[in-house]
Amino acid sequence: MGIVTASLSISVDGYVGSADEGQWWPVHERLHQWVFDLRSWRARQGMDGGVDSVSSQIVEDEFANAGAYVMGRDMFDFGEEPWGDDPPFRAPVFVVTHRERETLRRQGGTTFTFVTDGVAAAIERARASAGDRDVRLSGGASVVRQAIAAGLLDELNLHQTPVLLGAGVRLWDDIGPQWREMEPTRAVAGDGVTHLTYRFTRDA
């Protein structure tokens, strides 16, 4: 059976986005600029060319291992138009939302199912769809925080970009007061990014 894993680009001071709508896109580009020229990422968007590197291999592996995705409604609303008819997921996507909507079916095997009864229910449905592959939480921060707080996340991949943002949406807020032990399993330097992976340890 696969694991429940999350991947986010994050600043050194722990921010994964901007809380200021006017700065949303500049902050997004700064946090994610490391990925845009990678061959594996470009191929997934239907584009040619790109750089082959350790970062490209990591992104390729993340796509290959994912059997289903979970995301928040804000991320879906932002991405629906630019993703178009052929989104890059090519797997079932479960959108955590308070607003009902019919399931959307897109090219390449991507479906968007809207789940109104919380993150745990979305992850459960994603697990059933993923089979022996991973369930990947693709954002935003609120969905990942809720999964951490509920003890539902097995692995956290942080793509740390070398910038201090000073303000914005912090990943580490509202995850609860209890300790959660983590085991570092990877630290790899890429071009303009450091890839960090942690496994959550479970009590015996």
Side-chain angles (χ1 to χ4, degrees), residues 6-19 23-32 75 138-145 148 156-161 163-173:
S7 296
L8 300 107
S9 291
I10 190 168
S11 68
V12 172
D13 51 347
Y15 294 100
V16 295
S18 175
Q23 289 297 306
W24 196 97
W25 187 250
V27 169
H28 175 83
E29 285 201 315
R30 178 62 190 90
L31 289 176
H32 294 87
M75 180 174 175
S138 55
S142 177
V143 165
V144 176
R145 286 194 211 110
I148 293 173
L156 181 61
N157 296 282
L158 299 176
H159 305 297
Q160 188 181 75
T161 58
V163 61
L164 297 171
L165 293 178
V169 177
R170 279 182 52 81
L171 178 61
W172 308 120
D173 292 341

Side-chain angles (χ1 to χ4, degrees), residues 2 4 8-9 17 21 34 39 44 54 60 64 82 96 98 101 108 119 121 125 150 152 155 158 181 187 192 201 204:
V4 179
L8 300 107
S9 291
E21 187 174 337
W34 65 272
R39 183 182 296 276
R44 199 71 173 200
V54 64
E60 182 175 341
V96 181
H98 296 295
R101 184 170 174 179
V119 169
R125 295 181 66 174
L152 298 173
E155 180 183 86
L158 299 176
E181 296 290 345
T201 59

Side-chain angles (χ1 to χ4, degrees), residues 184-202:
T185 61
R186 180 176 66 186
V188 176
D191 186 7
V193 63
T194 302
H195 306 285
L196 304 170
T197 299
Y198 300 91
R199 281 288 185 109
F200 287 87
T201 59
R202 307 298 187 195

Side-chain angles (χ1 to χ4, degrees), residues 94-115:
F94 296 87
V95 181
V96 181
T97 181
H98 296 295
R99 292 171 283 151
E100 293 185 356
R101 184 170 174 179
E102 292 293 323
T103 297
L104 299 180
R105 304 186 186 281
R106 297 292 189 246
Q107 297 175 22
T110 299
T111 58
F112 294 101
T113 300
F114 299 86
V115 180

Side-chain angles (χ1 to χ4, degrees), residues 61-81:
D61 291 343
E62 288 184 354
F63 280 129
N65 293 337
Y69 293 84
V70 173
M71 70 174 59
R73 185 63 183 259
D74 286 347
M75 180 174 175
F76 170 80
D77 287 345
F78 177 81
E80 181 179 11
E81 183 175 344

